[in-house]
Structure formats: C-alpha cells, structure tokens
Amino acid sequence: MHTRRLVKRSILGSRVYAPSPTGDGAPVTGVVQAVKQENRDASAAGARRSVYTVLMQDGSLKEFTEEEIAAGSSHTAAKGPLKSSLKQSSSNGVSDGQKVEGGCLSPEAAEEPRLAEGKRVSRDPETRSVSLLEQKRKVVSSSIDVPHARRSEEEVDMDKVTAAMVLTSLSTSPLVRSPPVKVSEGLSGSWKENGSVGPFTPSSNSSSGGYWSWSAPSDQSNPSTPSPPLSADSFKPFRVPSQGGAGPGPAGPEDPSLDEQDGSSLLFDEPIPRKRKNSMKVMFKCLWKNCGKVLSTTAGIQRHIRTIHLGRSCDSDCSDGEEDFYYTEIKLNTDSVADGLSSLSPVSPSVLSPPPPPPSPLPPVSQPADSHRPLPPCDSKEPPAGGTTPLSRSAPSALYLIHTDHAYQATAPVSIPSSSSNSASNSFTPTNSSSFSISWQSPPVTFTGNSVSPTKSQGFGEQRSHTIAVLSSPPRATAALSRKVRGEGKKCRKVYGMENRDMWCTACRWKKACQRFTD
DNA sequence: GTTGCCGGGAC
DNA sequence: GTCCCGGCAAC
C-alpha cells in the first residue's frame, strides 16, 4: 500500500513562523521537530491541543501551542495552525515553496537523495504545480477534506507498515514467514509499483499524492474493510525506518493535527493497531556506545541522539537524519507466540540479539535502505556525516551495526547454502567480508542448496532477490519441489562402473541416492 | 546423451 | 521389507 513514496507530508520538518522567543513580537522561523498532544485541556468533547516543538533558528528548542504557531504563520498568509499550513500550503505559492524547502527533513525529503541532486533545483516548480492540482481537488471536495487527510495519514502509516513488513519478511525465516508473506508481498508489490511510478513519488505528491494514491493501496491492505481504520499511533514505530532523514518523530506530530481537525480522533487513539498482524511493541534503542537508551517514539530517540550524543541544538536543518543511524528499532513481541518459531521470527534479529550481527554490505531493499540511508536528504546542504559530526567519527561502530541489522535480515536467508559448502563459499567470498559469510551460515535452513550453485555467478542483488523469492514460498513446497541436488562426489556407478555393478551400494543399484559416496 | 535419484510399482 | 525401473532434472 502505500509505499513510502506516498508518504504524506508531515508537519515535522516544516518551517513555521512562531512568536519570537524574545518577545519582541517579531516572528521567527523554526522547524517543527515534534508534536505532542495535550489531553489535559481536552475538556470539551475530547478536543485536543497540540504542542509543537519547534527548533528555532538560533538552535533553541521551543514549544508552541497550535495557536501561537498559527499566529505566527499568519504572517505568511498561511492561515491556521500547522496542519492548516500544510494542508493549505498550496493556497499560497510562496509559502508553499517555503514549506517545501523547509521540508528538507520531511518524509519525502528523506528520499530525495535517491533522486538526482539536480532535482532539488527543479523541485519548486514541480511542487507548485502539484500543489495547484491539489488545490483544485480540495476546492472540489472541500467538504470531505478531513477524510482525505485521514486517508493520507493512514497511508503514511501503511507506508511504515509496508516498510516494516518488508523488513520483517526479509528477516523472517520461511517457516514463520508464510502467513505474513502475503501481506508483505502485497505491500511490497505496491511499493514497487509506487517506486517505479512517477506520480506517486513523494517529490511530486507534495501533499495530495497521498490522497489519490490511497485507494489502490488500501484495497490491497484491507480488501474487506473499505474504511481506513488504521490507527496512526499504532504504526508510529514503523515510521522510523522509513522516515529516513526526516525530522524527529514525524509520526507523532501528524496525529494531533488530525485529531484536531477530526473530532472522531478517538478512533485513532487506540494504542494497539487494529491491523497489526503481530502484536509487537516497537521501541527504539539508542545504539550509541554505552547508552542503550530505549524510547518508544522516533521523535524521542532522535531527539535524544541529536541532543545528547550529537550535541546538536540547532534547528532541524542540522538534523540531516543522521540520528537514524544511531538508533535501532526493537520489536518486542507481546504475544508469546510459537516459542519454537520464535527464533525464526522476524523479531529475533533485533530483539533477541540487541547487538546487531556482523555487517553486511547492502541493505535488503530500497525501503530499508532508505531508512538507514547513509546520506540524508539534506546532505546537499550539509557535508556528509562522515566529516562533520562527532558522531560519525566516534560512533562508526554503531552505524555499522545498524546497517548490519537490516542487511543481515535480508541476507540471512542467503545462508541457504546448507550442504554444499563449495557453493556457499563461492557466493560469499567475492562480495562480502569474511565475517559476514560466517554468521550467515548458521540459520538451520533445510534448504537443499539447490539455489546456491546458480548464485555463484549472480550479483549480490540477484542473490538477494532470489533468496527473497525462495522465502516467500512455503518452505516445504520449496524443498519438496526442488529435487535433491545431484551429488557432486563420486558415485558407485562412476567408481565401479557398470561392469562392476554388483559392487555398487544397494541404493545405487536401486537407482536411489547413493549411500556409499554421500556428498 | 549421461548421470543421479525420486517416485512408485512389483514382489 | 527388497528389488526394480520410469522418468525427471542436472549436467
């Protein structure tokens, strides 16, 4: 559903005007870092108030109420609170442009790096044109504006889910995976689709893309339920990976805004995702050396990293998403399901072994790749993490590990090589570090190794896809379908020849698998 | 075409 | 259970 590309623009990372901290009345710009809800004053009809944490230009972090920001934003002719400014950004070409620019950290921006650098230059006009489209759309359907918003939000959620599912599916052993597979397939399918389809890319769907791309995805994800029941909160955790360089906790912020504009917000406040197939609680663990802090929200962890470890206090522009590299997603399985399978479950990699496994070269899929994309969206502005941040210098291992985590998930299946060590070594040595190949051998896959030999000549990517394909199908079927690989060793027939058939092992005589010269 | 061996039949 | 072979797939 909903590929990451369809991600709706988040408030996070948006540049807004806020009352001057100095109180001189002059509005200043800042970038929304987080949004939190305050239910306390929800006296009337569950009305909620959102507090926006805005990183001011001077690097300070301020919190503003919606009203305050609204006031500030009025200077740019963008009316209303943040959510409005986002939604209505198209109403003002200039402000829209600003938003987009400021949205360097926004979800879609996170993917920008994927696009040619030059794209950034041409982005403005593009965005505007899209905005115009959106504007028209909104004019026509203004009365159902809210639902739209919700849809896009859900879509965003689904994107996360998709990402999560993809990751999950990649990391899951075939045995456990079969059930989820369908989901992930569906997800990934749409994702691919989106990935390749221009119109749905984040860059072009500034704010409306989510709207019209929703229908298809939703069908996939939830054929039986036309309505968009997904709880945004429930999927927050999944956002992390897919948000890439996005500002801290893009997930959090949107909810409030939605709630505000949608009275029925209660529906979305369910702590537990309705659709979540697995009841996992996702936490985010700081991987900084000796830290290990665990927070429940992306925003939290990112902020933690940024402020505590990176020592950054500047506005979100400084946050090039580098934080992403220093925390990892930890899924806690709240269901005590299938113990036997637990070790194979997708969760195992991160949960069972907090310290991620040895590194692997490539992230499994484009999505995951994004989430931990080494070069955050704003790189063009800021020098790559490599040189500038203390982080990159002092905590490379963490980065390493994180990458490992996901890559590992993807590559683990490659270990299939089970029996034929030759093939295994062939397929690994060339592409990876020695440490890498070793750990992958472990998975007790009963795969006969049929797929291994072919991989010798394949590129790593191909291997991966192959692996994925294999995993997607029921393990049993796979094993059953694939004939036992022809033994490479000598057989009775070869050794003794037809003339000495009586010297063959019985199996050979019976045309069964040779028992004497087993491979 | 050769070879390894699975699946299945005959006994 | 043993013995055999048709037939498939890898080579």
PDB file of all heavy atoms in Angstrom, chain A residues 4 11 50 331 469 494 497 504:
ATOM      1  N   ARG A   4       6.345   3.984   0.629  1.00  0.00           N
ATOM      2  CA  ARG A   4       6.878   5.071   1.370  1.00  0.00           C
ATOM      3  C   ARG A   4       6.783   6.306   0.557  1.00  0.00           C
ATOM      4  O   ARG A   4       6.672   7.379   1.031  1.00  0.00           O
ATOM      5  CB  ARG A   4       8.337   4.761   1.513  1.00  0.00           C
ATOM      6  CG  ARG A   4       8.822   4.917   2.722  1.00  0.00           C
ATOM      7  CD  ARG A   4       9.982   4.043   2.819  1.00  0.00           C
ATOM      8  NE  ARG A   4      11.165   4.750   2.685  1.00  0.00           N
ATOM      9  CZ  ARG A   4      11.332   5.924   3.085  1.00  0.00           C
ATOM     10  NH1 ARG A   4      10.407   6.527   3.649  1.00  0.00           N
ATOM     11  NH2 ARG A   4      12.437   6.499   2.960  1.00  0.00           N
ATOM     12  N   ILE A  11       4.033  17.275   9.353  1.00  0.00           N
ATOM     13  CA  ILE A  11       4.266  18.596   9.906  1.00  0.00           C
ATOM     14  C   ILE A  11       5.715  18.703  10.304  1.00  0.00           C
ATOM     15  O   ILE A  11       6.328  19.759  10.225  1.00  0.00           O
ATOM     16  CB  ILE A  11       3.379  18.795  11.134  1.00  0.00           C
ATOM     17  CG1 ILE A  11       1.945  18.896  10.668  1.00  0.00           C
ATOM     18  CG2 ILE A  11       3.797  20.019  11.871  1.00  0.00           C
ATOM     19  CD1 ILE A  11       0.992  18.978  11.790  1.00  0.00           C
ATOM     20  N   SER A  50      -2.524  20.653  20.562  1.00  0.00           N
ATOM     21  CA  SER A  50      -1.223  20.132  20.199  1.00  0.00           C
ATOM     22  C   SER A  50      -0.147  21.136  20.540  1.00  0.00           C
ATOM     23  O   SER A  50      -0.326  22.335  20.387  1.00  0.00           O
ATOM     24  CB  SER A  50      -1.156  19.857  18.711  1.00  0.00           C
ATOM     25  OG  SER A  50      -2.072  18.844  18.403  1.00  0.00           O
ATOM     26  N   LYS A 331      11.682  -4.560  18.182  1.00  0.00           N
ATOM     27  CA  LYS A 331      10.298  -5.023  18.258  1.00  0.00           C
ATOM     28  C   LYS A 331      10.153  -5.981  19.416  1.00  0.00           C
ATOM     29  O   LYS A 331      10.847  -6.982  19.485  1.00  0.00           O
ATOM     30  CB  LYS A 331       9.909  -5.706  16.959  1.00  0.00           C
ATOM     31  CG  LYS A 331       9.881  -4.750  15.809  1.00  0.00           C
ATOM     32  CD  LYS A 331       9.650  -5.533  14.546  1.00  0.00           C
ATOM     33  CE  LYS A 331       9.878  -4.633  13.335  1.00  0.00           C
ATOM     34  NZ  LYS A 331      10.057  -5.416  12.126  1.00  0.00           N
ATOM     35  N   ALA A 469      12.638 -14.543  -3.006  1.00  0.00           N
ATOM     36  CA  ALA A 469      11.635 -15.335  -3.687  1.00  0.00           C
ATOM     37  C   ALA A 469      11.484 -16.677  -3.003  1.00  0.00           C
ATOM     38  O   ALA A 469      10.398 -17.150  -2.752  1.00  0.00           O
ATOM     39  CB  ALA A 469      12.039 -15.534  -5.137  1.00  0.00           C
ATOM     40  N   LYS A 494      30.159 -44.411 -10.969  1.00  0.00           N
ATOM     41  CA  LYS A 494      31.392 -43.858 -11.520  1.00  0.00           C
ATOM     42  C   LYS A 494      32.602 -44.656 -11.066  1.00  0.00           C
ATOM     43  O   LYS A 494      33.539 -44.908 -11.831  1.00  0.00           O
ATOM     44  CB  LYS A 494      31.566 -42.410 -11.046  1.00  0.00           C
ATOM     45  CG  LYS A 494      30.952 -41.389 -11.964  1.00  0.00           C
ATOM     46  CD  LYS A 494      31.316 -40.001 -11.473  1.00  0.00           C
ATOM     47  CE  LYS A 494      30.593 -38.930 -12.249  1.00  0.00           C
ATOM     48  NZ  LYS A 494      30.812 -37.596 -11.686  1.00  0.00           N
ATOM     49  N   GLY A 497      31.878 -48.512 -12.111  1.00  0.00           N
ATOM     50  CA  GLY A 497      31.487 -48.707 -13.491  1.00  0.00           C
ATOM     51  C   GLY A 497      30.354 -49.712 -13.620  1.00  0.00           C
ATOM     52  O   GLY A 497      30.033 -50.430 -12.669  1.00  0.00           O
ATOM     53  N   TRP A 504      28.291 -52.007  -6.409  1.00  0.00           N
ATOM     54  CA  TRP A 504      27.609 -50.763  -6.031  1.00  0.00           C
ATOM     55  C   TRP A 504      26.902 -50.938  -4.703  1.00  0.00           C
ATOM     56  O   TRP A 504      26.546 -52.052  -4.302  1.00  0.00           O
ATOM     57  CB  TRP A 504      26.564 -50.385  -7.066  1.00  0.00           C
ATOM     58  CG  TRP A 504      27.100 -50.048  -8.436  1.00  0.00           C
ATOM     59  CD1 TRP A 504      28.381 -50.140  -8.876  1.00  0.00           C
ATOM     60  CD2 TRP A 504      26.319 -49.572  -9.527  1.00  0.00           C
ATOM     61  NE1 TRP A 504      28.468 -49.750 -10.185  1.00  0.00           N
ATOM     62  CE2 TRP A 504      27.201 -49.385 -10.614  1.00  0.00           C
ATOM     63  CE3 TRP A 504      24.974 -49.294  -9.711  1.00  0.00           C
ATOM     64  CZ2 TRP A 504      26.773 -48.918 -11.852  1.00  0.00           C
ATOM     65  CZ3 TRP A 504      24.548 -48.831 -10.933  1.00  0.00           C
ATOM     66  CH2 TRP A 504      25.441 -48.645 -12.001  1.00  0.00           C
TER      67      TRP A 504
END
